[in-house]
Amino acid sequence: MRGVWRLLSFLAIMLFLAGCGQENLSALDPQGPVADMQFDLLMLSLLVMVFVVLVVVVIFIYVLIKYRERQGDTHIPKQVEGNHRLEIIWTTIPILLLLIIAVPNVVLTFDLADTEPEEDQDVLEVTVTGHQFWWEFEYPEYDIEAGQDLYIPTDTRVVFQLEASDVIHSFWVPALAGKQDTVPGITNEMWLEAEDEGIYQGRCTEFCGESHWLMDFNVIAVDPDTFEAWADSMANPPQELTEPQSEVAAEGRAIYEESCLSCHATAGEGGNPQGGPDLTNFGERSNIAGFLEFNEDNLEEWIRDPQKLKPGNSMPGFDHFDDDEMEALVEYMMGLKVQD
Amino acid sequence: MSNQKSQSKSTLWDWLTTVDHKKVGILYLLGGAFFFVIAGIQAMLMRIQLMFPEASFLPYQSFNEMFTMHGTNMIFLAAMPLLFGFMNYIIPLQIGARDVAFPFLNALGFWFFLLGGIFVNLSFFLGDGPPDAGWTSYVPLASDQYAGSGLDFFVLGLQISGLGTLIGGINFLVTVINMRAPGMSMMRMPLFTWTSFVASMLILFAFPALTVGYLLLMLERLFGANFFIPDMGGNVVIWQHLFWIFGHPEVYILILPSFGIFSEVIATFAKKRLFGYTAMVFATLVIGFLGFMVWAHHMFTVGMGPIANAVFAVATMAIAVPTGIKIFNWLFTLWGGRIKINTANLFALAFIPSFVMGGVTGVMLAVSAANYQMHDTYFVVAHFHYVIVGGVVLALFSAAFYWWPRMFGYKLNEPLGKWFFWLFLIGFHLTFFFQHFLGLMGMPRRVASYLEGQGFSDMNFISSIGAFMMAIGFIFFLVNVFVSIRSGNPGADPWDGRTLEWTIPSPTPEYNFAQTPLTRDLDPLWYEKMHGDGRMKASEPLGDIHMPNATILPFLMAVGLFVSAFGFVYHNHWVAAGGIAFTFACMFVRSIKEDHGYHIHKEEILSDKEVE
Ligand SMILES: [Cu+2]
């Protein structure tokens, strides 16, 4: 009977916690093996700790009810010095409880640090660079670069090399894996896997300056074939990207070449190390700048005044474009797509 | 009063020049309360901003400045000085001493703290605005390239106030070792004195690490040194090690004296001797020792590798054991007692479950592999507020209600106190409980806002409501302080106390003890009540008492460094050098000028006794 109760209460906690938070964002709703393991360890430690709290609270309430001063009571309590047996009990039991958590933790800490894939598992390497306040993703095997949207194949071990270009950031995709810091001057490693296709939200968790809270990104998990096709077309982008067909878009391309290409690498052209995200596949972004809803109005607003939307980022505003110019530019940018 | 010199001058002069540990203690309380209110207002501004998603109450930059200064003010300039206030006033009384070992240094420590703290906060009005890199001020964000003059105010002000803390810590150490009255062996010291003693040891070893860190950062910011700049061969992680080698012990510097306060209050109001006194003392020492072994648990995600992570994880969990010992000893002190429920004790009682919750989330955070999910999220915010508010702040309020009659000669009002307690306690849990879930649901800490539709809105709203309750509760406390003044002097021993601070007249005479008391057991006053006539035996005949002279030098020395700090921030090297030279000149005067103090004569003491 006791066991049943324990199981029930455990399930209740799990259900309550699992129901918490938004899908593909919450660490309480894990979507891959790393987040799974971390969730299980978290639940194990939570269970032990809830037990500890309960023991303390039960004794606490009992003592308060039983020994509270009643009216007119003037007796002098017995002055007890202590009790060796009790001291030994409440020293050893916590040690045992801690061992229940400590042992699996040590094992898992080493497992998570080990980026070597299991036998005949597919691996993808990605170099992540944190910038104030955006993310850059490089795929060395494919010689391509992407900004803000991190494409990964499902059921593949993705191994990250984490770097930072300015201050410390921290790379976190709660639904897929715990975080690792990106530290200037140091390269850190971590890995994760996504089980299902989907868009998982990621964010920076190390305070990194004025717009730290907006340093969001998306992880887009697709099946391995789709991923290969995507990587291939990123490496060999369609011609429309550099020579758009429609007249308006061509006009936009001209403005883009003049004002934007120096910072934003696009289809293998332009860009610079102090610049902004690669925009080759901008038309397929899930958000603008990682957090704005993806639509033309927001794009225009962003181009006109990025400092208002994300203060402190290093893109200047282009408020001097007139409406026609802006329309052309936006049209061109919405067409920056590598998939059909 | 008998101090002839100060009588002729004004009250202000009296406080500026005092070296009396009781007055210095009260000064610490006032200074700490000042910064506590500032930091509290900053917290409220943040909670208003976070009440609704994507709010624009505070610009992001201001929000970042707020949480930086909230943490800095609370930890360095409120919590620690408030504890120092009680330590200053109470430790000498608890060990039967007439003052601390170095009264001059004591005053010096206070003025360093106060002027250093004011200097940091002046950044609100001067230069490029307040510091904005968090109270941890990680480089490179805190380096010259990314942060304005606020960080200069931060490193300079905190170096000055840190010096004050170090001086204070050394002073307490020597006081406890050297100044105990006859019979007051180490193992008869009240637990508050014990825990403060261990906390002072931690100060002695931890603060130098912080000072080194700030010094390096200062050299880097002001003189272009490159300790933390990777491109120049520097290393940014070194900063984190230096900071946390200080920063983790700092948590224990705060919580150990708080444990001491709870031990006093719980034993007094349960009318029982502290259960397992010896175990409590050893647990304190073990916590103090382990406190130095675990700093890197703040850095699990920095990339230290699995070996370091595993070792620090296990070491951190180990601290739960002595802490658990303490919790159960408190529970068994209550067990079989006659528990009086008043405001002082309510705060102490509420501490037990609240702190245990903070403790267990600490163990969860120590689980390194799971920590990757919790680190730098609201889970951490919830955890450390459960520890610091549920531990330290509840202790401060408990201490205030408990020692108020000793320090100010009147009791705080009980009904108002209970309003304060319930509002504060419920508000506290509302504010921080749900933040655990926010963190696990994906909300990072130190975010100026959060987007709508991510499931964070409701809990943040509740959290802000809780914060308002805490603030309203605190207003009840402030009102209480003034309303209760008329309540009259409750006498020397209003709580049926157990320790030496309740054996002397109220208000406390300048010399504390007319005759140094003889301690015959743990809880000396209780022992005399049970086995003697309820009065302490004297360990010396009544005689003249030697007292130190008041002096303005400590204040002036602090002013020298204060002025010098402006010179550094504004790159005026003459002012910088001049300020330091002035401080050294004061030290010189102090060294060569003979100062023998003065005596309070036997007759005066006798006449004091008659009045009583
Ligand atoms: Cu960041």
Side-chain angles (χ1 to χ4, degrees):
Chain A
M1 191 60 205
R2 257 256 197 72
V4 178
W5 264 115
R6 208 177 298 156
L7 193 69
L8 276 180
S9 57
F10 180 64
L11 284 178
I13 296 176
M14 294 277 275
L15 272 178
F16 171 65
L17 290 184
C20 260
Q22 204 195 31
E23 213 186 337
N24 294 352
L25 167 61
S26 172
L28 299 174
D29 187 8
Q31 304 285 324
V34 175
D36 268 339
M37 288 188 273
Q38 289 169 331
F39 180 77
D40 292 344
L41 195 57
L42 186 75
M43 285 306 123
L44 175 71
S45 58
L46 181 65
L47 204 69
V48 174
M49 291 301 128
V50 167
F51 170 73
V52 172
V53 173
L54 283 181
V55 170
V56 170
V57 168
V58 166
I59 301 180
F60 178 72
I61 291 176
Y62 172 78
V63 164
L64 275 194
I65 294 175
K66 180 100 194 283
Y67 298 109
R68 196 184 152 149
E69 185 177 74
R70 320 271 144 173
Q71 209 135 51
D73 182 357
T74 53
H75 87 282
I76 303 272
K78 189 158 165 257
Q79 304 293 309
V80 193
E81 280 193 23
N83 182 320
H84 279 295
R85 187 174 304 151
L86 282 176
E87 299 290 351
I88 290 170
I89 291 177
W90 58 57
T91 309
T92 39
I93 293 183
I95 293 180
L96 295 178
L97 289 179
L98 287 174
L99 281 177
I100 300 179
I101 318 174
V103 173
N105 175 49
V106 172
V107 174
L108 195 61
T109 300
F110 279 90
D111 282 355
L112 290 179
D114 181 12
T115 51
E116 286 297 311
E118 280 151 47
E119 246 173 88
D120 47 67
Q121 193 187 19
D122 292 327
V123 190
L124 171 72
E125 282 221 10
V126 181
T127 305
V128 175
T129 310
H131 303 271
Q132 277 178 327
F133 305 95
W134 61 280
W135 297 91
E136 179 183 336
F137 307 108
E138 251 178 83
Y139 299 74
E141 296 149 47
Y142 299 87
D143 200 20
I144 56 175
E145 220 182 275
Q148 299 293 28
D149 278 355
L150 167 65
Y151 283 79
I152 58 168
T154 50
D155 293 321
T156 305
R157 179 174 289 225
V158 187
V159 177
F160 297 98
Q161 309 289 322
L162 303 163
E163 292 169 0
S165 70
D166 36 42
V167 300
I168 305 175
H169 305 272
S170 192
F171 176 83
W172 187 32
V173 192
L176 296 182
K179 62 191 69 64
Q180 274 291 313
D181 296 353
T182 68
V183 185
I186 290 173
T187 303
N188 280 333
E189 265 193 342
M190 70 174 268
W191 64 276
L192 57 73
E193 279 172 46
E195 268 152 11
D196 303 309
E197 296 192 12
I199 302 184
Y200 304 95
Q201 299 192 34
R203 45 203 47 188
C204 172
T205 38
E206 178 65 58
F207 178 63
C208 60
E210 191 169 1
S211 284
H212 159 64
W213 80 279
L214 290 171
M215 194 166 159
D216 294 358
F217 62 100
N218 294 292
V219 178
I220 302 174
V222 292
D223 72 76
D225 294 338
T226 317
F227 177 79
E228 286 298 328
W230 172 82
D232 192 49
S233 44
M234 282 295 278
N236 311 290
Q239 204 154 29
E240 291 107 86
L241 298 198
T242 43
E243 290 161 24
Q245 301 299 304
S246 96
E247 205 175 300
V248 189
E251 198 185 312
R253 167 72 191 178
I255 300 171
Y256 190 82
E257 269 175 31
E258 194 185 307
S259 306
C260 320
L261 203 57
S262 60
C263 277
H264 293 288
T266 311
E269 298 174 357
N272 82 64
Q274 271 79 51
D278 187 303
L279 296 183
T280 307
N281 61 341
F282 176 75
E284 289 154 355
R285 283 277 196 279
S286 345
N287 294 98
I288 295 173
F291 73 103
L292 293 167
E293 199 185 316
F294 188 85
N295 60 40
E296 298 186 357
D297 292 343
N298 279 342
L299 177 58
E300 174 171 348
E301 214 182 320
W302 172 266
I303 297 170
R304 288 206 184 283
D305 196 356
Q307 293 305 321
K308 187 178 136 224
L309 295 168
K310 212 186 217 187
N313 87 77
S314 49
M315 169 160 159
F318 293 87
D319 208 18
H320 55 274
F321 291 158
D322 66 29
D323 286 351
D324 290 342
E325 288 171 323
M326 186 58 83
E327 196 185 326
L329 183 61
V330 167
E331 164 128 357
Y332 166 69
M333 293 192 67
M334 289 313 237
L336 290 171
K337 294 182 178 169
V338 296
Q339 289 167 310
D340 20 50
Chain B
M1 288 295 255
S2 42
N3 187 338
Q4 299 299 331
K5 275 195 175 154
S6 62
Q7 214 167 35
S8 53
K9 303 260 171 58
S10 70
T11 320
L12 178 67
W13 183 256
D14 184 32
W15 286 93
L16 284 178
T17 58
T18 185
V19 294
D20 177 355
H21 74 98
K22 299 180 286 300
K23 286 188 174 162
V24 173
I26 290 172
L27 284 174
Y28 264 117
L29 289 186
L30 284 173
F34 172 69
F35 292 114
F36 185 83
V37 170
I38 295 184
I41 293 172
Q42 287 162 341
M44 292 315 296
L45 294 176
M46 287 191 284
R47 275 325 315 175
I48 295 175
Q49 162 74 7
L50 292 176
M51 201 159 174
F52 302 102
E54 298 170 47
S56 49
F57 176 73
L58 289 178
Y60 312 154
Q61 177 62 25
S62 311
F63 186 93
N64 299 342
E65 293 162 0
M66 284 306 150
F67 74 67
T68 301
M69 286 309 292
H70 168 73
T72 307
N73 279 331
M74 278 295 187
I75 298 283
F76 290 111
L77 306 176
M80 227 178 355
L82 287 169
L83 286 169
F84 263 43
F86 290 116
M87 283 152 76
N88 247 307
Y89 201 108
I90 301 299
I91 290 178
L93 300 187
Q94 285 196 330
I95 60 175
R98 296 219 167 91
D99 206 322
V100 291
F102 306 116
F104 181 94
L105 284 185
N106 200 22
L108 185 66
F110 168 74
W111 292 113
F112 275 8
F113 141 67
L114 186 72
L115 291 185
I118 290 177
F119 189 78
V120 181
N121 280 278
L122 281 178
S123 59
F124 273 98
F125 311 104
L126 303 172
D128 321 325
D132 56 358
W135 83 285
T136 49
S137 282
Y138 278 8
V139 289
L141 196 62
S143 298
D144 217 12
Q145 195 185 347
Y146 297 98
S149 72
L151 258 292
D152 296 332
F153 280 91
F154 179 87
V155 285
L156 285 157
L158 290 184
Q159 278 184 84
I160 297 176
S161 82
L163 213 55
T165 310
L166 189 58
I167 292 172
I170 293 173
N171 204 350
F172 290 132
L173 283 177
V174 181
T175 305
V176 170
I177 293 174
N178 278 352
M179 310 276 288
R180 281 172 287 122
M184 179 57 77
S185 63
M186 290 298 269
M187 290 312 278
R188 283 181 188 168
M189 288 195 317
L191 219 70
F192 176 64
T193 298
W194 249 118
T195 52
S196 301
F197 178 68
V198 177
S200 302
M201 287 202 263
L202 300 193
I203 289 177
L204 182 65
F205 291 109
F207 265 73
L210 181 74
T211 309
V212 168
Y214 284 160
L215 189 74
L216 296 183
L217 185 58
M218 181 183 86
L219 291 175
E220 180 174 307
R221 294 185 53 86
L222 298 175
F223 304 109
N226 295 312
F227 302 109
F228 305 123
I229 299 182
D231 292 344
M232 312 296 281
N235 183 320
V236 300
V237 179
I238 295 291
W239 166 267
Q240 299 187 17
H241 283 291
L242 284 172
F243 183 83
W244 288 115
I245 286 173
F246 148 78
H248 196 80
E250 167 69 16
V251 179
Y252 295 101
I253 293 170
L254 296 176
I255 201 68
L256 288 179
S258 308
F259 285 172
I261 292 168
F262 293 125
S263 304
E264 306 289 306
V265 172
I266 287 176
T268 302
F269 293 115
K271 287 226 175 332
K272 265 186 70 193
R273 180 193 158 106
L274 190 67
F275 192 88
Y277 172 85
T278 321
M280 287 296 236
V281 170
F282 278 98
T284 308
L285 287 165
V286 172
I287 294 176
F289 178 75
L290 285 178
F292 276 101
M293 304 292 151
V294 300
W295 77 90
H297 68 213
H298 297 267
M299 301 165 59
F300 283 144
T301 65
V302 186
M304 296 184 301
I307 298 177
N309 279 9
V311 169
F312 279 101
V314 174
T316 306
M317 289 178 198
I319 293 194
V321 177
T323 315
I325 293 177
K326 286 193 160 262
I327 297 284
F328 285 106
N329 276 305
W330 283 314
L331 287 174
F332 277 77
T333 305
L334 293 168
W335 192 292
R338 168 154 70 87
I339 307 169
K340 186 167 180 59
I341 306 287
N342 56 19
T343 312
N345 202 23
L346 278 175
F347 276 110
L349 293 171
F351 147 82
I352 293 178
S354 307
F355 184 82
V356 166
M357 283 178 64
V360 298
T361 51
V363 176
M364 290 172 72
L365 281 165
V367 181
S368 47
N371 173 282
Y372 307 149
Q373 285 287 23
M374 294 176 272
H375 178 69
D376 265 344
T377 69
Y378 257 83
F379 190 91
V380 176
V381 177
H383 158 69
F384 69 72
H385 281 95
Y386 261 88
V387 177
I388 294 185
V389 182
V392 182
V393 176
L394 293 186
L396 288 169
F397 290 143
S398 181
F401 277 82
Y402 179 60
W403 280 314
W404 203 270
R406 168 52 45 206
M407 303 176 75
F408 301 103
Y410 64 94
K411 268 190 188 180
L412 291 170
N413 177 289
E414 277 296 321
L416 281 177
K418 287 188 176 134
W419 272 97
F420 166 39
F421 168 76
W422 286 111
L423 278 169
F424 192 86
L425 187 77
I426 296 171
F428 157 65
H429 283 281
L430 273 187
T431 309
F432 297 110
F433 183 71
F434 295 98
Q435 293 183 355
H436 295 111
F437 301 101
L438 282 173
L440 296 173
M441 285 156 54
M443 182 164 164
R445 71 190 278 205
R446 294 175 167 175
V447 287
S449 190
Y450 50 93
L451 296 173
E452 208 169 342
Q454 301 202 320
F456 302 155
S457 308
D458 298 342
M459 292 191 191
N460 270 297
F461 184 79
I462 297 175
S463 183
S464 295
I465 297 293
F468 278 108
M469 284 179 70
M470 290 165 83
I472 295 170
F474 187 70
I475 292 172
F476 271 88
F477 176 67
L478 292 181
V479 171
N480 198 342
V481 166
F482 294 101
V483 168
S484 309
I485 292 180
R486 299 153 153 273
S487 68
N489 193 326
D493 183 17
W495 309 119
D496 192 9
R498 312 173 70 84
T499 40
L500 288 181
E501 75 266 34
W502 307 111
T503 63
I504 45 180
S506 169
T508 315
E510 198 186 353
Y511 45 80
N512 297 352
F513 297 89
Q515 287 164 288
T516 303
L518 178 71
T519 299
R520 301 205 284 169
D521 196 2
L522 180 72
D523 292 343
L525 175 56
W526 185 261
Y527 183 85
E528 299 300 336
K529 284 176 184 170
M530 293 296 120
H531 303 279
D533 59 359
R535 293 175 145 256
M536 297 309 296
K537 309 268 175 295
S539 65
E540 60 175 10
L542 198 63
D544 291 357
I545 295 175
H546 180 239
M547 301 295 289
N549 273 329
T551 161
I552 191 68
L553 283 175
F555 176 72
L556 291 182
M557 287 168 75
V559 169
L561 289 192
F562 182 73
V563 170
S564 156
F566 278 105
F568 280 114
V569 172
Y570 291 102
H571 299 281
N572 183 331
H573 297 299
W574 288 110
V575 175
I580 291 183
F582 180 73
T583 299
F584 274 103
C586 294
M587 283 166 77
F588 187 69
V589 171
R590 162 76 182 163
S591 306
I592 56 159
K593 209 181 102 187
E594 299 230 14
D595 181 357
H596 296 297
Y598 66 99
H599 283 87
I600 298 177
H601 296 290
K602 199 166 148 182
E603 296 70 37
E604 268 178 74
I605 299 167
L606 275 173
S607 73
D608 276 2
K609 279 204 144 183
E610 268 154 37
V611 177
E612 172 204 339

